[in-house]
Amino acid sequence: MDLVWQGLVRAFEMLLAGDPELGRITWLTLRVSGTATLVSVVLGVPTGVLLALGRFPGRRLLISLVNTGMGLPPVVVGLWVSLLLWRYGPLGFLNLMYTPAAMVIAQSVIATPVVAAFTVAGVGQLNPRLALQITAMGASRWQLYWLLVREARLSILAAVIAGFGSVVSEVGASMMVGGNVLGQTRVLTTATVMEVSKGNFDVALALSVILLALTYGVTAVLTLVQQRRRPA
Amino acid sequence: MEGRRVRAAVLVAFLAGVLAATACGRRPATTEAGAGQERGETTAQEAPKPATPDVILATTTSTQDSGLLDVLVPMFEQKTGYRVKTIAVGTGQALAMAERGEADVVLVHAPDAEKAVVEKGAVVDRRLVMHNDFVLVGPPDDPARVRGTGTAVEAFKRIAAAGALFVSRGDDSGTHKKEQSLWKAAGITPQGTWYQESGSGMGQTLNIASEKGGYTLTDRATYLALRKNLRLAIVLEGDAPLLNVYHVMRVNPQKFSKVNAEGGKAFVEFLVAPETQALIGKFGVDKFGQPLFFPDAGKREDELGAKS
């Protein structure tokens, strides 16, 4: 247990000392996972809305696929994205392997199904009569979708929180496509794994405390937005 | 209505902030021209600007976990202006990356496997860099009574005969390859509950061996670096087959057109340069009272006392 205490003390020391490397790692973690979350919202929310409200053949199959995608193992994503991005892979000409951009791609692949599936569930839960009423008032199809998204905003913010949570805590894909390169692609999770294998448990614990604080901070902001929008 | 607008503004501002931060922060990493920017302006002024700045170094976990690369890589970057992407994966994967042209330069420690890759023409310019040695570590009370056996082969036989727990890397790394060659030399096919494969790096494997009270084969550098957290003692050292020899080699640009030929060459030259070699010889002395690696550039492998 004294290790835990040492780790906490170490975390405060590192924070107080303003270790530039730690700052860089934390900032990169926020940047990569934040961008990946944004990408997954841009892709996942419309997909989820269309799947929830659209009427087309294969819709249920697609929903089941998206639901399966919620459990997409990060290492599997990491491996596939690596195969695509390698120099001699199909997208090798982009020179993205071992860059933060590669990590954003992998994390977006992980988070998009999460966001889409939560959106499907959230929008699907709305009272079906609401859609009828909005349509009856003369709304166009896109206006209808927009109004329904606004109605489902609580669930959609939950989708964003879940998406961010799944990528900020992920290590396998980030390690594989990012490579844990010092000063370039090292994020809090991959740094933690590396410090453990170096036997620096106190530093690893400190990093984990900082990761938790970061995750809490972002989630708290999103929760605040979510709960303030709550209808009385 | 007023409150809702404020809330919407907060959300938009938050998302826009994240987006802006990522958009402007990511540029240096994705474009080649600005690749050095993030490292600060000071180095940019004195270091030369290579045409292709990124060098991918595929290496073993031991060079990273011991901290050696944390010393050498920044020096190399400062001196040459290259930017090294160190991918620490273990010898097997590092050589596999070289064979597919996915790395520019490799620093590994499995001479036989290296020679096979050289023969395939995937790597060239293979140079001896340094050595240290493998040591057999185990529980301090040494239940299989390995101490005093003198040779690694005899020690392995005793462990197998006693059915004492042995934790293997099991990850096709240089250390794992060495361990397998020792089992082979002992005429034993290790299997059964006493033989467990961790499937992870040296540091993690040492942790597992320590927790479970097992034996394992480790490079001395990683063991010394982690010793403070381990309940493991050296039970055998100094046998000639335990020599751990590191070679650097660059991926053949004739075979793989996308390889950073200049960068790979610069890194090889840097590792065997006299100043770097002197630094390698001193690394670890201040912390452990003994060097973790012995510089060998220019020597022949058979001069080191044993062929692996």
Side-chain angles (χ1 to χ4, degrees):
Chain A
M1 270 326 268
D2 52 330
L3 254 175
V4 175
W5 180 243
Q6 276 172 31
L8 284 171
V9 171
R10 190 66 192 252
F12 276 104
E13 278 173 9
M14 285 164 77
L15 283 174
L16 286 178
D19 183 351
E21 197 51 54
L22 179 68
R24 207 155 30 173
I25 290 173
T26 309
W27 178 226
L28 185 70
T29 307
L30 186 62
R31 261 168 54 191
V32 167
S33 298
T35 314
T37 308
L38 269 185
V39 171
S40 64
V41 167
V42 169
L43 298 176
V45 171
T47 308
V49 172
L50 285 178
L51 285 178
L53 300 176
R55 293 287 171 266
F56 50 87
R59 177 176 154 268
R60 289 204 177 130
L61 176 72
L62 283 176
I63 292 180
S64 68
L65 285 178
V66 165
N67 283 338
T68 310
M70 285 215 285
L72 212 54
V75 282
V76 173
V77 175
L79 179 61
W80 290 354
V81 174
S82 297
L83 294 176
L84 286 175
L85 294 185
W86 266 338
R87 271 178 186 165
Y88 291 95
L91 300 176
F93 63 93
L94 295 171
N95 280 326
L96 288 180
M97 197 63 185
Y98 307 127
T99 63
M103 299 163 80
V104 170
I105 292 172
Q107 294 194 352
S108 302
V109 173
I110 293 165
T112 303
V114 175
V115 174
F118 268 72
T119 307
V120 171
V123 173
Q125 227 177 21
L126 295 175
N127 190 334
R129 276 176 293 187
L130 187 63
L132 284 177
Q133 194 184 357
I134 293 171
T135 316
M137 288 166 84
S140 74
R141 196 163 183 78
W142 294 111
Q143 279 171 328
L144 168 71
Y145 283 2
W146 174 242
L147 288 168
L148 288 177
V149 164
R150 284 184 49 152
E151 269 323 295
R153 60 188 174 252
L154 273 176
S155 314
I156 287 172
L157 270 164
V160 178
I161 292 169
F164 179 79
S166 68
V167 293
V168 78
S169 58
E170 170 284 323
V171 57
S174 295
M175 194 65 118
M176 283 163 119
V177 304
N180 188 36
V181 181
L182 178 68
Q184 297 173 42
T185 57
R186 189 166 294 173
V187 290
L188 286 166
T189 50
T190 60
T192 305
V193 169
M194 187 195 65
E195 293 299 343
V196 168
S197 69
K198 281 177 155 184
N200 298 333
F201 297 113
D202 53 343
V203 180
L205 272 162
L207 290 171
S208 70
V209 169
I210 292 160
L211 177 61
L212 282 174
L214 178 75
T215 311
Y216 176 75
V218 172
T219 311
V221 170
L222 290 171
T223 309
L224 201 71
V225 174
Q226 184 193 44
Q227 295 304 319
R228 280 174 69 185
R229 300 200 69 153
R230 188 173 208 161
Chain B
M1 267 330 256
E2 193 54 40
R4 182 172 291 178
R5 209 168 283 164
V6 171
R7 282 174 245 135
V10 167
L11 179 61
V12 168
F14 173 73
L15 292 178
V18 175
L19 183 64
T22 40
C24 62
R26 217 172 54 201
R27 214 177 300 128
T30 46
T31 63
E32 301 247 309
Q37 252 170 321
E38 224 171 351
R39 281 301 169 90
E41 304 305 321
T42 47
T43 54
Q45 281 163 9
E46 39 202 75
K49 282 254 171 213
T52 317
D54 280 342
V55 179
I56 298 178
L57 165 65
T59 186
T60 95
T61 49
S62 58
T63 54
Q64 182 172 64
D65 289 354
S66 65
L68 179 66
L69 289 178
D70 292 339
V71 176
L72 295 185
V73 165
M75 260 185 77
F76 172 72
E77 290 180 334
Q78 182 89 21
K79 225 178 221 173
T80 60
Y82 285 106
R83 198 167 78 135
V84 178
K85 292 178 182 287
T86 306
I87 314 297
V89 285
T91 294
Q93 197 183 330
L95 287 173
M97 282 171 73
E99 275 186 73
R100 304 180 55 89
E102 297 296 344
D104 300 316
V105 59
V106 273
L107 174 63
V108 290
H109 59 132
D112 291 337
E114 291 162 21
K115 279 173 204 151
V117 183
V118 171
E119 271 156 32
K120 283 182 199 160
V123 295
V124 291
D125 204 10
R126 176 169 171 264
R127 310 247 203 120
L128 186 54
V129 177
M130 60 194 182
H131 77 272
N132 59 8
D133 58 345
F134 290 108
V135 294
L136 187 62
V137 297
D141 61 345
D142 191 17
R145 301 207 293 142
V146 170
R147 275 198 189 95
T149 47
T151 70
V153 166
E154 194 54 39
F156 272 45
K157 280 182 183 160
R158 282 212 193 171
I159 291 171
L165 180 66
F166 187 96
V167 183
S168 166
R169 291 274 295 268
D171 63 350
D172 208 25
S173 61
T175 310
H176 183 223
K177 285 175 198 288
K178 170 64 77 179
E179 178 216 310
Q180 284 177 313
S181 75
L182 290 172
W183 287 118
K184 210 173 162 191
I188 294 165
T189 312
Q191 54 192 4
T193 49
W194 62 274
Y195 185 78
Q196 300 185 358
E197 300 197 352
S198 72
S200 39
M202 194 69 254
Q204 189 66 12
T205 304
L206 281 166
N207 288 332
I208 293 169
S210 173
E211 282 302 311
K212 292 191 166 186
Y215 291 89
T216 191
L217 186 72
T218 172
D219 62 290
R220 190 186 290 269
T222 311
Y223 170 70
L224 286 177
L226 303 192
R227 191 171 48 179
K228 62 177 193 288
N229 297 312
L230 300 173
R231 273 169 307 192
L232 293 172
I234 294 179
V235 292
L236 183 91
E237 61 186 323
D239 187 21
L242 292 180
L243 218 56
N244 180 22
V245 187
Y246 289 81
H247 286 87
V248 69
M249 59 214 84
R250 56 196 175 88
V251 179
N252 190 354
Q254 253 95 53
K255 191 167 179 188
F256 301 104
S257 58
K258 294 182 181 177
V259 160
N260 183 350
E262 293 303 311
K265 196 170 183 158
F267 192 77
V268 170
E269 296 300 334
F270 168 78
L271 274 190
V272 300
E275 312 90 84
T276 317
Q277 288 277 306
L279 210 83
I280 291 173
K282 274 184 280 188
F283 177 73
V285 176
D286 52 345
K287 207 167 160 193
F288 305 109
Q290 52 178 300
L292 299 186
F293 299 97
F294 300 90
D296 292 322
K299 289 187 202 156
R300 286 203 325 271
E301 201 178 321
D302 51 11
E303 286 178 71
L304 299 181
K307 284 189 83 137
S308 318

